[in-house]
């Protein structure tokens, strides 16, 4: 290339290079607890792997990649910064350090309920907003709600409401409940009992399952015996670890459908969802992470995307303006599930459809037809404003 031509090319490129260099940085933080027990493998006494749960960070990475073009259009250099700490105090220190060093004010948080609550209290006066991407505990949307926490992952009540809607629509109204020994199983049953009352289902009985084959505990470990009576239309399983639920289908005394931990399940996301751009998102995630997208992965993706959406719509990166837009009525977010999603002002929960799926297909999407609401049908899932116990 002749020197004059090279100089001309460089002069042509200089404005673009300068513009790129001048782009304002807008980085979103990602926080997680090291050695979080929720991500420990669960194995049976034989060594069989019952459950493997992956960290949802790849969901945020996919969203950051997808948002690059939006960032360029806004004149922003969008980023994602991941930090890990051993405890809440360490995460709070990371938040303050990232805020003071890089101006980061929005944080995706992957933490259990107690840790998330403590972190929200520790950073209440630090001018930051936390996005819950993995904890479904209802109390975080009720008596333990915090104004500086936005909930992207569905609450447990939203999931059980979706299931109750489906059972009511099918006229499977008498439900036998089998409950596991874990704390999360008790929370799931409590949420489902509330949903049953809300949608006119009858709980025929709640029976506690005890893992083992001790003949003295046949009333609590024999599937056929436990499901013989009372009569019921459907069996609901609360078994978060997968300890006993895998034995229930095809071993019940009566030929009844199984829902909950096995059979038909309610979730924020599923790899088999085939509408509203979901296949493309699932493919992008699979190429990046080498696995199927799960609920927390989707929530991490959605949290990053909704923050960028608020920046674009509010017209800048000012924290107060972006936070106000996120919490305002103008926000409508494409969650790739059909109905536009937005945050409920009374408890900061992202209203969204829930998918009801088997292991390899989505059978229905809640809210189902016929379940109406005076303002937004999505508010038939989870705590509606009149019944909310959240007090910011």
């Amino acid at each position: 290339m002749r020197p004059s031509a090279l100089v001309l090319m460089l002069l042509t490129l200089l404005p673009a290079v300068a513009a790129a260099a001048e782009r304002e940085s807008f980085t979103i933080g990602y926080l997680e607890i090291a050695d979080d027990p929720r991500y420990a493998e669960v194995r049976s006494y034989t060594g069989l792997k019952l459950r493997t749960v992956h960290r949802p960070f790849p969901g945020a990475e996919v969203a950051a990649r997808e948002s690059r073009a939006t960032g360029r259009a806004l004149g922003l250099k969008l980023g994602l910064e991941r930090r890990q700490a051993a405890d809440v105090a360490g995460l709070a220190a990371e938040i303050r350090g990232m805020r003071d060093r890089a101006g980061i004010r929005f944080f995706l948080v992957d933490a259990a309920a107690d840790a998330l609550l403590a972190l929200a209290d520790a950073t209440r006066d630090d001018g930051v907003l936390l996005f819950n991407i993995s904890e479904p505990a209802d109390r975080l949307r009720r008596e333990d709600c915090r104004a500086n926490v936005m909930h992207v992952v569905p609450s447990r009540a939203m999931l059980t409401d979706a299931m109750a809607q489906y059972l009511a629509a099918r006229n499977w109204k008498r439900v036998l409940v089998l409950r596991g020994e874990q704390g999360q199983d008790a929370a799931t049953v409590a949420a489902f009992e509330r949903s049953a009352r809300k949608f006119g289902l009858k709980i025929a009985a709640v029976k506690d399952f005890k893992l083992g084959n001790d003949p003295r505990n046949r009333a609590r470990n024999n599937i056929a015996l436990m499901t013989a009576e009372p009569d019921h239309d459907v069996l609901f399983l609360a078994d978060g670890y997968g300890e006993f639920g895998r034995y229930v289908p095809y071993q019940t005394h009566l030929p009844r459908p199984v829902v909950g931990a096995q059979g038909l399940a309610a979730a924020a996301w599923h790899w088999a969802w085939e509408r509203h751009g979901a296949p493309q998102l699932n493919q992008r995630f699979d190429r990046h992470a080498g696995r199927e997208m799960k609920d927390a992965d989707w929530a991490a993706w959605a949290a990053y995307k909704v923050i960028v959406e608020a920046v674009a719509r509010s017209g800048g990166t000012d924290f107060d303006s972006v936070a106000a837009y996120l919490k305002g009525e103008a926000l409508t977010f494409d969650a790739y599930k059909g109905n536009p999603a937005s945050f409920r002002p009374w408890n900061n929960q992202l209203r969204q459809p829930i998918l009801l799926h088997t292991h390899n297909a989505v059978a229905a999407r809640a809210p189902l037809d016929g379940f109406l609401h005076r303002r937004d049908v999505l508010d038939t899932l989870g705590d509606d404003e009149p019944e909310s116990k959240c007090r910011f």
Side-chain angles (χ1 to χ4, degrees):
M1 183 180 293
R2 292 180 301 172
S4 58
L6 179 60
V7 170
L8 181 60
M9 182 182 71
L10 291 174
L11 289 173
T12 303
L13 291 175
L14 275 176
V17 174
E22 292 172 0
R23 278 193 295 163
E24 177 187 356
S25 292
F26 181 81
T27 301
I28 296 170
Y30 184 100
L31 305 170
E32 60 191 2
I33 296 286
D35 300 321
D36 189 331
R38 298 178 303 160
Y39 295 103
E41 284 187 349
V42 176
R43 293 181 179 271
S44 69
Y45 70 95
T46 62
L48 181 68
K49 189 184 299 184
L50 297 178
R51 187 192 69 163
T52 298
V53 183
H54 298 280
R55 298 270 189 175
F57 183 66
E61 290 183 302
V62 170
R65 290 186 178 187
E66 292 178 4
S67 300
R68 288 173 182 168
T70 301
R72 287 192 295 269
L74 296 172
L76 295 174
K77 184 179 180 182
L78 299 177
L80 175 66
E81 190 167 328
R82 184 183 191 181
R83 289 289 183 271
Q84 189 178 84
D87 52 26
V88 170
L91 287 185
E94 291 287 356
I95 285 176
R96 295 181 186 114
M98 296 165 75
R99 180 201 60 187
D100 296 342
R101 173 180 49 80
I104 300 174
R105 308 283 292 276
F106 299 93
F107 295 87
L108 280 54
V109 183
D110 176 26
D114 289 341
L116 181 60
L117 183 61
L119 184 63
D121 289 340
T123 59
R124 179 175 49 201
D125 300 321
D126 291 329
V128 298
L129 204 55
L130 311 178
F131 289 76
N132 170 22
I133 60 172
S134 60
E135 178 51 67
D138 289 323
R139 65 186 178 92
L140 295 179
R141 287 84 166 168
R142 294 175 183 167
E143 65 272 14
D144 287 334
C145 66
R146 297 294 186 267
N148 60 337
V149 180
M150 312 297 288
H151 302 284
V152 182
V153 72
S155 66
R156 192 171 274 111
M158 292 171 67
L159 299 175
T160 57
D161 277 0
M163 182 61 72
Q165 280 192 10
Y166 185 82
L167 299 184
R170 300 287 295 181
N171 203 32
W172 298 342
K173 294 191 174 182
R174 293 173 300 169
V175 188
L176 177 61
V177 177
L178 297 190
R179 178 171 54 197
E181 298 178 294
Q182 305 299 322
Q184 62 180 314
D185 300 334
T188 297
V189 170
F192 183 73
E193 289 176 323
R194 175 187 171 279
S195 298
R197 291 191 297 270
K198 183 176 177 179
F199 293 103
L201 306 180
K202 177 179 174 55
I203 303 296
V206 177
K207 298 188 177 184
D208 292 314
F209 187 92
K210 184 175 179 60
L211 193 65
N213 54 12
D214 188 333
R216 293 171 296 182
N217 290 323
R218 289 182 71 245
R220 296 179 62 193
N221 63 26
N222 184 293
I223 300 297
L225 186 62
M226 292 184 73
T227 59
E229 58 181 25
D231 194 14
H232 52 282
D233 301 314
V234 63
L235 190 64
F236 180 88
L237 298 179
D239 178 24
Y241 277 4
E243 292 177 311
F244 73 90
R246 59 202 174 107
Y247 297 114
V248 175
Y250 309 107
Q251 296 199 44
T252 58
H253 180 77
L254 301 169
R256 298 291 185 265
V258 176
V259 303
Q262 294 289 328
L264 188 72
W269 193 253
H270 194 266
W271 63 267
W273 179 233
E274 297 177 348
R275 299 178 60 190
H276 307 297
Q280 290 74 30
L281 175 57
N282 278 317
Q283 290 165 20
R284 291 193 296 270
F285 183 86
D286 184 77
R287 285 195 298 268
H288 176 69
R291 58 178 177 83
E292 297 166 359
M293 185 176 242
K294 303 294 186 180
D295 283 24
D297 302 313
W298 174 86
W301 171 85
Y304 191 101
K305 296 281 283 189
V306 77
I307 295 169
V308 173
E309 176 80 8
V311 169
R313 298 297 181 181
S314 65
T317 60
D318 175 72
F319 172 75
D320 291 334
S321 298
V322 175
Y325 190 87
L326 283 163
K327 296 185 178 187
E329 295 183 359
L331 173 69
T332 55
F333 173 64
D334 182 5
Y336 282 33
K337 294 194 284 186
N339 306 56
S342 58
F343 286 101
R344 292 170 178 151
W346 55 90
N347 64 1
N348 288 349
Q349 170 66 58
L350 187 73
R351 50 168 70 93
Q352 60 190 276
I354 299 298
L355 305 180
L356 295 154
H357 66 86
T358 62
H359 72 287
N360 64 355
V362 175
R365 182 181 65 112
L368 277 74
D369 291 342
F371 293 91
L372 306 177
H373 192 274
R374 66 189 184 282
R375 180 181 52 245
D376 189 328
V377 292
L378 292 178
D379 287 335
T380 63
L381 304 175
D383 294 349
D384 198 5
E385 186 171 14
E387 61 193 3
S388 177
K389 297 178 181 178
C390 176
R391 300 291 181 269
F392 291 136

